[in-house]
Amino acid sequence: MSDFDGRAATWDQNPLHTERTEVIACDMLKRMEWGPSMRGLEFGAGTGLLSFRLAPYFERVDAMDVSSEMVKVMHAKVQALHAPNVFPVCHDLVAAPFCPGKFDRIFSQMVLHHIADTKAILSRFYEELKPGGQLALVDLYTEDGSFHGPDFDGHLGFDTDRLSEWTLQAGFSGVRVFPTYVLRKPVGGEERTYPLFLLLADK
Ligand SMILES: C[S@@+](CC[C@H](N)C(=O)[O-])C[C@H]1O[C@@H](n2cnc3c(N)ncnc32)[C@H](O)[C@@H]1O
């Protein structure tokens, strides 16, 4: 069982998760281009907070996570929220392609820092998008390691200039970065702040 499997059942009870999703969803709605009949993919959807929020703007959303417990929660929410256009899927996009060339939009929040090979996943996103598709990634700006603590082996946020360069190298154009939300989290008895960016790019 992964760490995320164990956190799935109570994930939505944490206001840190729900509040950031609302602000990020509004920012994506404001800054991205939207049209009819679009198919979206959320990478690392967790319990699908962002997918369910954005679902009315898509014909279909594939809400992907590698944690089977997260996917189980999403299946229950499809029923509970009457959201038949959200399709939860258990898949590891790092390990294998999903539906290359099929997506108008790929979006993700707070997942990229968990992925060891950033350049490889950017290339995978490019492959999964249709020509004219858009990518939207939300993650931490470079941080001091306090966000996850000493045992974390992922990225300590991102230098957005370097990430933009890697995004261009993956084939994208029009890369732009916006500050989107400031996370507040208690760490070692005090409240710390962690700003997040929204990176947009076009295929
Ligand atoms: C920090 S959680 C964020 C969940 C959700 N995006 C949110 O903000 O509420 C990261 C999620 O990414 C998923 N994940 C990590 N690596 C993945 C991969 N290779 N493919 C699909 N999902 C992955 C984890 O299982 C976890 O649910």
Side-chain angles (χ1 to χ4, degrees):
M1 184 188 256
S2 79
D3 179 41
F4 286 113
D5 278 331
R7 299 170 68 190
T10 54
W11 189 263
D12 289 0
Q13 293 166 18
N14 187 340
L16 281 178
H17 300 152
T18 49
E19 284 170 24
R20 77 173 181 227
T21 300
E22 184 54 29
V23 174
I24 288 164
C26 289
D27 213 13
M28 286 184 177
L29 288 171
K30 183 176 81 182
R31 295 190 186 279
M32 295 169 76
E33 287 146 33
W34 298 90
S37 310
M38 292 202 309
R39 182 172 178 186
L41 171 66
E42 182 176 5
F43 171 62
T47 58
L49 287 169
L50 193 52
S51 283
F52 287 105
R53 178 64 176 80
L54 295 179
Y57 303 88
F58 287 104
E59 185 169 296
R60 171 189 175 118
V61 180
D62 294 83
M64 174 189 291
D65 205 282
V66 72
S67 153
S68 57
E69 292 301 314
M70 288 288 192
V71 173
K72 214 182 278 178
V73 171
M74 286 198 277
H75 276 298
K77 285 169 74 173
V78 168
Q79 303 295 324
L81 301 176
H82 308 291
N85 66 332
V86 177
F87 291 80
V89 56
C90 195
H91 181 82
D92 182 347
L93 195 63
V94 170
F98 178 52
C99 293
K102 288 284 186 276
F103 295 99
D104 300 284
R105 301 286 178 268
I106 294 179
F107 56 97
S108 185
Q109 64 168 350
M110 298 299 282
V111 186
L112 199 61
H113 63 267
H114 290 281
I115 305 301
D117 191 340
T118 311
K119 290 183 179 182
I121 195 69
L122 288 168
S123 295
R124 181 58 51 77
F125 292 150
Y126 189 83
E127 189 187 337
E128 295 286 322
L129 280 167
K130 289 179 185 171
Q134 272 186 346
L135 175 68
L137 299 175
V138 168
D139 215 294
L140 295 154
Y141 286 97
T142 306
E143 50 100 12
D144 60 5
S146 58
F147 186 77
H148 288 282
D151 296 333
F152 183 62
D153 62 357
H155 301 270
L156 307 184
F158 292 94
D159 171 339
T160 53
D161 287 340
R162 183 176 298 172
L163 183 61
S164 299
E165 191 56 41
W166 292 345
T167 308
L168 289 169
Q169 286 169 11
F172 288 94
S173 60
V175 180
R176 55 251 188 231
V177 178
F178 308 92
T180 186
Y181 182 65
V182 179
L183 266 169
R184 289 181 167 72
K185 187 178 173 180
V187 175
E190 64 177 80
E191 189 180 73
R192 298 285 304 265
T193 56
Y194 300 92
L196 306 183
F197 63 84
L198 166 63
L199 179 147
L200 299 179
D202 307 316
K203 175 166 176 177

